Amino acid sequence: MKNTQLDMGRLAAMDAARAARLLHRVREETLAGRTPPIAPRPVIDASWQRMARLGLDPDRGTSSVLLQRDELEERRRTTLLSDVMQTLTGGLAGIADASLQIMVVTDEHGRVLWRQGNSGVLRRANGICLEEGAAWTEHTTGTNAVGTALALGRAVQVHSAEHYLHTLHNWTCAAAPVRDPRDRRLLGILDVSGPASTFHPAMLALVDSVAQLAEAEMRERHRRAVERLRSVAAPILCRVGGRAVAVDAHGWTAAVTGLAPVDRIPLPKSFGAGRVWLPSLGTCAVEPLPGGWLLRVEEEAGAAGEPDAEAAQRVVLDLSRPRRWTVSVSGPAGGWQQELSPRHAELLYVLALHRHGRTAAELAEDVFGDRTRTVTVRAEMSRVRRTLAGVLAHRPYRFREEVTVEVLRPELPADLLPHSTAPAVREGVRG
């Protein structure tokens, strides 16, 4: 086998014990700077070289400082992967369990967010710190499927002694990146790991296929979101004079008037209502729409970055009816209205009372009477801001300074959100 190269097909065809001995010898000879009996796979050799340059000790352990529970929940809540977890688990968790393996999902930083699968393997995984909140980049745990897939941005399988750290030689893993189809941004890694005896070369293709299936689901969700935005934007654009375009939060075009249609308009990272200069359009007046933005191209462009009084928004929070609550947003080009759930009506009412803003802990006290329920508050505010991102800011949560907010209350104070037990609402009723 001298001067030949290792591949997973040949490895799978070997007796498991013989394959393990060969991989160990390849690793030992390569790391010692000698010529191995068979060359390691290029993806593994390149990773080992990166580890050597980092000075990573191959005999170190895989311990990691775990994320705190609040931080873990925050990362789960804010990642787009949470929307496709059913697809990921439906595609892999059952297979992993049946094949004595586990499915792992990390964020874009290699932190484990979720894991499912065989209960015995889950317990064994705790011994190598492959648990929720742990870091699995190459920098922390050497050559491994999660970390190497992160480093390369493509699917990778790592088996037995191909792992740089000796601690992982009894494990096999296959991982694939999952990307946001809207902008190809890396969201995280999907991985299947288990004892080395569960190795199968087809696992890599399976993991990669499920990752692509999740991306396809996100792509379809995005298409439906753009369609919803188009249904709101179309009547507004009919009333707009001149050139205008409705885009989602990532710049994807939903509707256009007076302009040649394009698929996407690049938006700056810091983007909000007012006046902004865009390379493809020039100076635009920006107004929020539910799930996106209305960009009105100004024929007489002013200085970029100047505040635009004309683009200031008016928000009306209508709580005057006992069982139907709405929020309306209006600007120079027109307006739109959204019905509110009872919880979202409570949150917006509190923010209307506190224009300087409220932290997650303060909102938890206002709504639940319990400052520790910040995870629930952040989850609800994330849903609210999907529609009202143009008029709501965060850190702390608040209506933007340029927005005028009006609250329509019922004639009788007792009829204000009568379902609510929120301390802030009940205090308003008594007041």
Side-chain angles (χ1 to χ4, degrees):
M1 289 192 294
K2 284 186 178 295
N3 301 320
T4 58
Q5 194 174 82
L6 190 64
D7 67 69
M8 297 309 249
R10 293 177 63 186
L11 198 65
M14 293 181 186
D15 171 79
R18 182 182 171 218
R21 288 194 299 271
L22 174 62
L23 285 175
H24 280 81
R25 187 178 173 193
V26 168
R27 175 180 174 274
E28 289 173 4
E29 297 297 318
T30 302
L31 296 189
R34 298 186 292 268
T35 302
I38 186 170
R41 293 187 294 139
V43 64
I44 300 299
D45 189 34
S47 178
W48 287 350
Q49 291 180 38
R50 288 195 297 273
M51 299 308 96
R53 288 194 296 270
L54 285 173
L56 198 68
D57 181 0
D59 293 320
R60 65 175 287 181
T62 54
S63 61
S64 170
V65 177
L66 303 182
L67 294 175
Q68 294 293 319
R69 176 55 59 176
D70 279 356
E71 174 65 16
L72 177 63
E73 292 297 337
E74 175 74 4
R75 294 195 186 201
R76 286 174 170 173
R77 180 186 64 80
T78 56
T79 178
L80 197 62
L81 292 173
S82 62
D83 293 337
V84 293
M85 275 302 295
Q86 186 172 352
T87 296
L88 298 177
T89 57
L92 278 183
I95 294 174
D97 190 1
S99 60
L100 303 180
Q101 295 180 305
I102 61 173
M103 181 200 79
V104 174
V105 179
T106 80
D107 65 10
E108 71 274 26
H109 304 295
R111 288 283 184 173
V112 177
L113 299 184
W114 294 278
R115 62 176 199 162
Q116 294 184 33
N118 181 268
S119 58
V121 180
L122 286 171
R123 289 191 294 271
R124 288 185 61 179
N126 291 339
I128 58 169
C129 205
L130 183 56
E131 51 189 309
E132 292 171 349
W136 274 77
T137 62
E138 283 193 336
H139 284 71
T140 56
T141 48
T143 303
N144 71 91
V146 170
T148 306
L150 277 173
L152 300 181
R154 63 180 177 86
V156 174
Q157 190 166 24
V158 180
H159 176 56
S160 185
E162 289 186 321
H163 290 93
Y164 190 75
L165 300 188
H166 187 271
T167 308
L168 300 176
H169 287 187
N170 292 326
W171 287 81
T172 188
C173 49
V178 183
R179 298 185 180 276
D180 187 337
R182 297 171 297 185
D183 55 14
R184 301 308 299 162
R185 178 175 59 88
L186 181 66
L187 297 173
I189 299 294
L190 174 65
D191 168 81
V192 170
S193 293
S197 59
T198 64
F199 166 72
H200 195 290
M203 184 57 73
L204 181 64
L206 177 61
V207 173
D208 197 25
S209 295
V210 174
Q212 292 181 44
L213 187 63
E215 291 181 1
E217 180 183 339
M218 288 186 280
R219 191 176 297 110
E220 175 59 20
R221 285 173 178 263
H222 178 236
R223 186 195 64 78
R224 294 197 298 266
V226 171
E227 288 293 335
R228 289 193 296 270
L229 176 58
R230 181 176 295 118
S231 68
V232 173
I236 293 176
L237 286 178
C238 289
R239 300 192 298 267
V240 171
R243 299 179 294 162
V245 57
V247 298
D248 74 357
H250 293 262
W252 289 95
T253 302
V256 63
T257 182
L259 292 165
V262 295
D263 290 337
R264 188 181 184 195
I265 295 173
L267 302 179
K269 288 185 178 180
S270 179
F271 193 74
R275 178 180 285 144
V276 65
W277 184 84
L278 299 174
S280 59
L281 297 176
T283 303
C284 299
V286 181
E287 300 177 35
L289 293 172
W293 302 96
L294 175 65
L295 312 178
R296 293 187 295 120
V297 181
E298 295 187 349
E299 306 304 329
E300 298 292 334
E306 288 183 357
D308 187 355
E310 189 179 329
Q313 304 299 310
R314 181 169 182 263
V315 174
V316 177
L317 183 61
D318 189 350
L319 307 179
S320 61
R321 288 161 290 190
R323 288 184 177 82
R324 183 175 180 267
W325 312 281
T326 62
V327 60
S328 302
V329 180
S330 58
W336 49 273
Q337 185 181 87
Q338 185 89 12
E339 284 201 29
L340 297 170
S341 69
R343 183 69 71 218
H344 294 174
E346 291 172 337
L347 290 167
L348 291 179
Y349 171 71
V350 172
L351 295 182
L353 294 180
H354 299 277
R355 288 303 306 271
H356 60 280
R358 304 293 274 174
T359 65
E362 288 171 336
L363 279 177
E365 178 72 28
D366 294 331
V367 174
F368 301 108
D370 180 356
R371 293 178 67 89
T372 67
R373 295 189 61 177
T374 55
V375 171
T376 303
V377 164
R378 291 191 181 104
E380 292 293 347
M381 285 304 302
S382 177
R383 297 185 184 101
V384 173
R385 294 186 71 245
R386 288 177 187 176
T387 297
L388 296 173
V391 295
L392 285 178
H394 65 300
R395 296 180 182 175
Y397 297 110
R398 65 193 186 281
F399 284 100
R400 296 184 184 275
E401 289 78 2
E402 67 272 18
V403 172
T404 301
V405 180
E406 179 182 0
V407 179
L408 302 182
R409 301 168 182 264
E411 291 184 9
L412 298 176
D415 291 335
L416 176 67
L417 300 174
H419 71 285
S420 177
T421 59
V425 175
R426 302 277 48 94
E427 183 178 336
V429 170
R430 288 192 297 271

